[in-house]
Amino acid sequence: MNTQRIFIFLGLMLLLACKSTAQPLPQSEKLSPAKVKEIAARIDRRHGDLPSEMRRRILETVVRSIDNMVFIEGGEFEMGDFGIPCEYDPSNMCEWPCGLAPEEMCPITMYTDDDHLHKVRLSSFYLSRYHTTLRDFDLFRTAHGKELFDKEYREREDLKVHFLPNKPAHTKGWQEAKDYCLWLGELSGYPVDLPTEAQWEYAARNRGQYVWYPTDNGNIDFGRNYPRRQENMNPIVSSIGSVSPNPLGLYDLVGNVNEWVNDWYAEDYYLVSPVDNPTGPENGNKKVMRGTPFYETPWMTAHSVLRRAEDLIKKDYYSTLSFRCAIQMDRPLED
């Protein structure tokens, strides 16, 4: 009887292997065909109950997500509010420190939780060049047996523009954003997670430089490196990659949506933060968000150092609360 069961098991495994290799594998810019095949087999084991077409879409999503990861070389920087000239033009920023002494500068933000400059030293990591899209987030939810949120709104002609597949994913809370990144990690075999707050700021500041606005040149140029604010129109969240990226190739760090990071929030964390690879407080009741939504005044809130405290879960899914994933690994992907 045991021998019969073994043959049945081997037969099922062989059938599963055939199913995973029957369709052409997607091409990858960074992963070898063998690695893509490993991911396909992992998806078949994890989601073997799903239709083959959905598993194919999951494979394409995982491969594309890894291809979109930007390697960020680690280093040391001063994290926090490093000061700004008291009078400045966001469209024509000078180069820090603009010939000024630290005591002659004003705080960048009106908040005190980012005031304490502190040394941070980060290992290298990967960060997605884009926010997770609504299309990919919908696929994740469907693969886990969850209904699409706001289905009644998606059918309305006047609201469809808010649910285009290439818009940043809408979230209701931090956990689902984290779960999506961990799911990518489970299927890809890489340590995918949300970025830490320090990683986000380091990347937004072009590897820790004294950059006020995380755009391609540190200035705000509406319609080119910052979403255009259109008069007499109802502004909405833009599709990913609608304006120029920062020098590292990261898109939409400010001006479109807020994004979750991994850290718990504490107002005084900068006073006690370790130097090496800080990950935030051990616990808390709020999470840190970074970035700036489209509806805020950019010269006030689009700064690279601004941090926000956000409740773990909101009442509804919001188009302005999104996220991007990171790979917490300091070596080449194929190693």
Side-chain angles (χ1 to χ4, degrees), residues 3 9 19 25 27 41 47 58 63 80 84 86 113 170 234 239 250-252 256 260 268 276 296 302 306 312 330:
T3 303
F9 174 77
K19 286 170 65 179
L25 297 175
Q27 297 293 315
H47 293 294
I58 292 173
V63 171
I84 196 169
C86 296
D113 61 352
H170 307 189
N234 180 29
S239 294
L250 304 172
Y251 288 84
D252 310 314
N256 203 25
W260 298 104
D268 61 351
D276 291 314
E296 292 188 347
L306 179 66
L312 279 169
D330 61 0

Coordinates of all heavy atoms in Angstrom, one line a residue, residues 3 9 19 25 27 41 47 58 63 80 84 86 113 170 234 239 250-252 256 260 268 276 296 302 306 312 330:
T3 N 3.9 1.5 -1.1 CA 4.6 1.6 -2.4 C 3.6 2.3 -3.4 O 4.0 3.1 -4.2 CB 5.0 0.2 -2.9 OG1 5.9 -0.3 -1.9 CG2 5.7 0.3 -4.3
F9 N 2.2 9.6 -5.6 CA 2.9 10.9 -5.3 C 3.9 11.3 -6.4 O 3.9 12.5 -6.8 CB 3.6 10.8 -3.9 CG 4.3 12.0 -3.6 CD1 3.7 13.2 -3.1 CD2 5.7 12.0 -3.7 CE1 4.4 14.3 -2.8 CE2 6.5 13.2 -3.4 CZ 5.8 14.3 -2.9
K19 N 3.3 20.6 -16.0 CA 2.4 21.7 -16.1 C 3.2 23.0 -16.0 O 3.0 24.0 -16.7 CB 1.4 21.7 -15.0 CG 0.3 20.6 -15.2 CD -0.6 20.5 -14.0 CE -1.3 21.7 -13.7 NZ -2.2 21.5 -12.5
L25 N 8.4 30.2 -20.7 CA 8.7 31.0 -19.6 C 8.9 32.5 -20.0 O 9.5 32.8 -21.0 CB 10.0 30.5 -18.9 CG 9.9 29.1 -18.3 CD1 11.2 28.6 -17.8 CD2 8.8 29.0 -17.2
Q27 N 10.7 36.1 -20.4 CA 12.0 36.6 -20.4 C 12.3 37.5 -19.3 O 11.5 38.3 -18.9 CB 12.3 37.3 -21.7 CG 12.1 36.4 -23.0 CD 13.2 35.3 -23.1 OE1 14.4 35.6 -22.8 NE2 12.8 34.1 -23.4
A41 N 8.2 26.7 -10.7 CA 7.9 25.5 -9.9 C 7.4 25.8 -8.5 O 6.5 25.2 -8.0 CB 9.2 24.7 -9.8
H47 N 0.6 27.5 -5.4 CA -0.8 27.9 -6.0 C -1.2 26.9 -7.0 O -1.9 27.2 -8.0 CB -0.7 29.3 -6.6 CG -0.5 30.4 -5.6 ND1 -1.4 30.7 -4.6 CD2 0.6 31.2 -5.4 CE1 -0.9 31.7 -3.9 NE2 0.3 32.1 -4.4
I58 N 0.9 35.2 -12.4 CA 1.7 35.3 -11.2 C 3.2 35.3 -11.5 O 4.0 36.1 -11.0 CB 1.3 34.3 -10.1 CG1 -0.2 34.5 -9.6 CG2 2.3 34.3 -9.0 CD1 -0.7 33.5 -8.7
V63 N 8.5 37.8 -11.9 CA 9.7 38.1 -12.7 C 9.8 39.6 -13.0 O 10.9 40.2 -12.8 CB 9.7 37.3 -14.0 CG1 10.8 37.7 -14.9 CG2 9.8 35.8 -13.7
G80 N 17.8 62.7 8.7 CA 17.0 63.7 9.4 C 17.1 65.1 8.8 O 17.6 65.2 7.7
I84 N 17.5 74.1 5.7 CA 17.2 74.6 4.4 C 17.3 76.1 4.5 O 17.0 76.7 5.6 CB 15.8 74.2 3.9 CG1 15.6 74.4 2.4 CG2 14.7 74.9 4.7 CD1 14.3 73.8 1.8
C86 N 16.2 79.8 4.7 CA 14.9 80.3 5.2 C 14.1 80.9 4.1 O 12.9 80.9 4.2 CB 15.1 81.4 6.3 SG 16.0 80.7 7.8
D113 N 9.9 65.5 14.9 CA 10.3 64.1 15.0 C 11.4 63.8 14.0 O 11.9 62.7 14.1 CB 9.1 63.2 14.8 CG 8.4 63.3 13.4 OD1 8.8 64.2 12.7 OD2 7.6 62.5 13.1
H170 N -4.0 50.5 -4.1 CA -4.7 51.1 -3.0 C -4.5 50.2 -1.8 O -4.7 49.0 -1.9 CB -6.2 51.2 -3.3 CG -6.5 51.9 -4.6 ND1 -7.8 52.3 -4.9 CD2 -5.8 52.3 -5.6 CE1 -7.8 52.9 -6.1 NE2 -6.6 52.9 -6.5
N234 N -10.3 68.1 -11.3 CA -10.2 67.3 -10.1 C -8.9 66.4 -10.2 O -8.9 65.5 -11.0 CB -11.4 66.4 -10.0 CG -11.4 65.5 -8.8 OD1 -10.8 65.9 -7.8 ND2 -12.0 64.3 -8.8
S239 N -0.7 57.4 -12.9 CA -0.1 56.1 -13.1 C 1.4 56.1 -12.8 O 2.0 57.1 -12.8 CB -0.3 55.6 -14.6 OG -1.7 55.5 -14.9
L250 N 14.5 55.7 -9.4 CA 13.3 55.5 -8.6 C 12.3 56.5 -9.0 O 12.5 57.7 -9.0 CB 13.7 55.5 -7.2 CG 14.8 54.6 -6.7 CD1 15.2 54.9 -5.2 CD2 14.4 53.2 -6.8
Y251 N 11.1 56.0 -9.2 CA 10.0 56.9 -9.7 C 9.0 57.2 -8.5 O 8.8 56.4 -7.6 CB 9.2 56.2 -10.8 CG 9.9 56.1 -12.1 CD1 10.8 55.1 -12.4 CD2 9.7 57.1 -13.1 CE1 11.4 55.0 -13.6 CE2 10.3 57.0 -14.3 CZ 11.2 56.0 -14.6 OH 11.8 55.9 -15.8
D252 N 8.4 58.4 -8.6 CA 7.3 58.8 -7.8 C 7.5 58.7 -6.3 O 6.7 58.4 -5.5 CB 6.1 57.9 -8.1 CG 5.8 57.8 -9.6 OD1 5.8 58.8 -10.3 OD2 5.6 56.6 -10.1
N256 N 2.8 61.9 -5.6 CA 1.7 61.0 -6.1 C 0.9 60.4 -4.9 O -0.3 60.6 -4.7 CB 2.2 60.0 -7.1 CG 1.2 59.5 -8.0 OD1 0.2 60.2 -8.3 ND2 1.4 58.3 -8.5
W260 N 4.0 53.1 2.6 CA 4.3 52.4 3.8 C 5.8 52.0 3.8 O 6.3 51.6 2.7 CB 3.5 51.1 4.0 CG 2.0 51.3 4.1 CD1 1.1 51.1 3.1 CD2 1.3 51.7 5.2 NE1 -0.2 51.3 3.6 CE2 -0.1 51.7 4.9 CE3 1.6 52.1 6.5 CZ2 -1.1 52.1 5.8 CZ3 0.6 52.5 7.4 CH2 -0.7 52.5 7.0
D268 N 10.5 59.9 19.1 CA 11.9 60.2 19.6 C 12.9 59.1 19.1 O 14.0 59.0 19.6 CB 11.9 60.2 21.1 CG 11.4 58.9 21.7 OD1 10.9 58.0 21.0 OD2 11.6 58.7 23.0
D276 N 24.0 51.3 12.6 CA 24.0 50.3 11.5 C 22.7 49.7 11.2 O 22.0 49.1 12.1 CB 25.0 49.1 11.9 CG 26.5 49.5 11.9 OD1 26.9 50.2 10.9 OD2 27.2 49.2 12.8
E296 N -1.2 67.6 -1.7 CA -0.5 68.4 -0.8 C 0.3 69.5 -1.5 O 0.8 69.3 -2.6 CB 0.3 67.6 0.2 CG -0.5 66.8 1.1 CD 0.3 66.1 2.2 OE1 1.5 66.1 2.1 OE2 -0.4 65.6 3.2
A302 N 6.9 67.9 0.2 CA 7.5 66.9 -0.7 C 9.0 66.7 -0.4 O 9.7 66.3 -1.2 CB 7.3 67.4 -2.1
L306 N 10.8 64.2 5.3 CA 9.5 64.2 6.0 C 9.0 62.8 6.4 O 9.0 62.0 5.5 CB 8.4 64.9 5.2 CG 7.0 65.0 5.8 CD1 7.0 65.9 7.0 CD2 6.0 65.5 4.8
L312 N -2.3 51.6 11.7 CA -2.0 50.3 11.1 C -3.1 50.0 10.0 O -2.8 49.3 9.0 CB -2.0 49.2 12.1 CG -0.6 49.0 12.8 CD1 -0.8 48.1 14.0 CD2 0.4 48.6 11.9
D330 N 22.4 42.2 0.0 CA 23.5 43.1 -0.4 C 24.4 42.5 -1.5 O 25.5 43.0 -1.7 CB 24.3 43.6 0.8 CG 25.0 42.4 1.5 OD1 24.9 41.3 1.1 OD2 25.7 42.7 2.5

